[in-house]
Structures are given as structure tokens and as C-alpha cells.
Amino acid sequence: MKPKEIRGVPKHEKGGFHDTESTAKTSAKLVDAKFEILKQRFLDVNSWKENSAVGASEFKLFSKNGQPANRRPEIGDKIRINIPGPGGIQTDSYDWVDVIDYRETKNADEGTFSIVMTCRPAHPPRQENEENIAHFYGEDATSTFMITKGKDYVMASVHGRNEKPNTKKAGWLDAVRNFFIGSGGILGAGKAQWKLLTEGLISGLEDADK
């Protein structure tokens, strides 16, 4: 299996990858309204856990300077992730990513419209000068979060690229933790977490007669 080539998703070069997608079929008449609901959920990062099933990770949006943010994400923001299981020793049990890209794209050939946000492992706020990255994946990894509207469906997806455990830019205790969690993610455990998110985002959006 090869990673999908998707507009806005970074190219995969090494390590693990995944394409996790959840789709809700709907009528062309209702698709705009359903996508608006999905868009509101997607842009409210702080509520992702609430929209997901039990056992999902928690996400909190912060400004670049480390201030909690209750708005749609922007390039330069940080997202704090609290995954189930052991957290990092040096970062108060949290993993962090930077929002490095945010865009809206149309594909005229396929008749789709997408909102795309790409994140990369990062330092916690106000610690950018430190060497260690607060994430179980290395600095080359990316996670691209996407919602898409088609002619008769809406879709939420997460696309991981270049996923390798962060064993170099971490303290030695965190390096051990990152190896096991990162390796588990590459083997499929991480995709299960993303599936909880994508399924949660589209929950209730499928037409009753579909």
C-alpha cells in the first residue's frame, strides 16, 4: 500500500504513513448544510475530544505565545495533545505540534471543496530555543487534518506522513516512551486514534435513509 497523493498533504519520503478517512453520505440538497456543521466542528479544535468516542485524544489550541485560544486555528498556532497512556516526562505529559499550513482548496474535476490544516511536531510554547521536541514523532513527521465536501458526501480525514519515533531530540526517558508510542502508531495503533476523531467529526451527518 502506498500513501495517497492529495493536494495540500506533504510528500511522503520515509518512515510510516497513514490515510484515515470517514465519510457520511448525504443528498446533494443537504450536503451544504451538513458540511457547515462539519466545518464548525473541525474549526473548534478544543472540542475535538468531545466530538469523539471514549478513549480519544484531547486537543487544545494555543497561540504561538502560549495563550489558550478559543477561535479557528491559524498558521503559527500550537496545538497541545494529550494522548491516552503515558505522557512525556519533560513536557508535563503533553505532546505539541505547530500549525504550519492552513488552506482551502477546490478540485473542479472532482467537484470537491476541502479545508486543510497541516501540523508538525514542535516545542512547547516559549521553549523554541531548547533542543528537544515535545512529540513522540520526529520533526520531519506531519499530520494533515482535512474536511471535504463532495456532491453527495462529506468526509473528515487525517493523513500522516514521514512518521518516525522521536528518539534523538528528546530526553532519554522520553526517548524510550516515544519509541514505543511512535512505533505503535506506525504499526496501526495511532490510526485507531485518528479514526476516533474522524468518525466523531462526521457523527450524525449521514442521511437517515442512506
Side-chain angles (χ1 to χ4, degrees), residues 18-185:
H18 72 89
D19 294 294
T20 306
E21 300 174 342
S22 296
T23 302
K25 297 288 289 183
T26 184
S27 65
K29 182 178 180 180
L30 295 175
V31 69
D32 288 340
K34 296 292 182 72
F35 186 73
E36 187 61 31
I37 295 172
L38 177 58
K39 179 180 177 180
Q40 291 176 8
R41 293 175 179 176
F42 179 73
L43 295 179
D44 187 6
V45 174
N46 296 327
S47 295
W48 282 4
K49 180 178 175 63
E50 296 174 11
N51 287 317
S52 303
V54 175
S57 300
E58 179 185 64
F59 299 81
K60 293 296 180 184
L61 183 68
F62 289 78
S63 68
K64 181 178 181 179
N65 296 326
Q67 298 300 315
N70 187 22
R71 51 166 172 73
R72 65 175 56 194
E74 301 173 354
I75 294 176
D77 284 346
K78 291 181 177 289
I79 298 176
R80 189 186 72 188
I81 308 171
N82 186 6
I83 67 171
I89 302 299
Q90 297 179 328
T91 57
D92 296 326
S93 299
Y94 297 118
D95 296 281
W96 290 85
V97 295
D98 284 339
V99 178
I100 62 170
D101 190 23
Y102 180 92
R103 65 179 72 185
E104 298 181 355
T105 65
K106 292 183 179 180
N107 187 322
D109 293 335
E110 298 180 1
T112 61
F113 171 79
S114 299
I115 299 177
V116 187
M117 178 176 70
T118 298
C119 299
R120 187 185 299 280
H123 302 85
R126 297 181 294 275
Q127 295 184 27
E128 281 74 9
N129 293 328
E130 294 187 9
E131 179 180 358
N132 294 340
I133 290 175
H135 199 280
F136 50 87
Y137 284 142
E139 59 187 338
D140 293 329
T142 59
S143 292
T144 300
F145 304 88
M146 180 182 303
I147 56 172
T148 300
K149 176 180 67 175
K151 295 179 180 179
D152 61 354
Y153 71 90
V154 295
M155 180 173 68
S157 60
V158 184
H159 306 276
R161 299 291 184 265
N162 304 305
E163 298 175 336
K164 297 182 70 175
N166 174 23
T167 57
K168 294 182 179 180
K169 291 195 173 184
W172 72 271
L173 285 175
D174 283 347
V176 173
R177 173 254 187 189
N178 293 345
F179 174 78
F180 285 105
I181 294 180
S183 298

Side-chain angles (χ1 to χ4, degrees), residues 176-197:
V176 173
R177 173 254 187 189
N178 293 345
F179 174 78
F180 285 105
I181 294 180
S183 298
I186 292 169
L187 293 173
K191 183 170 182 175
Q193 272 291 312
W194 295 129
K195 194 66 174 179
L196 292 176
L197 174 61

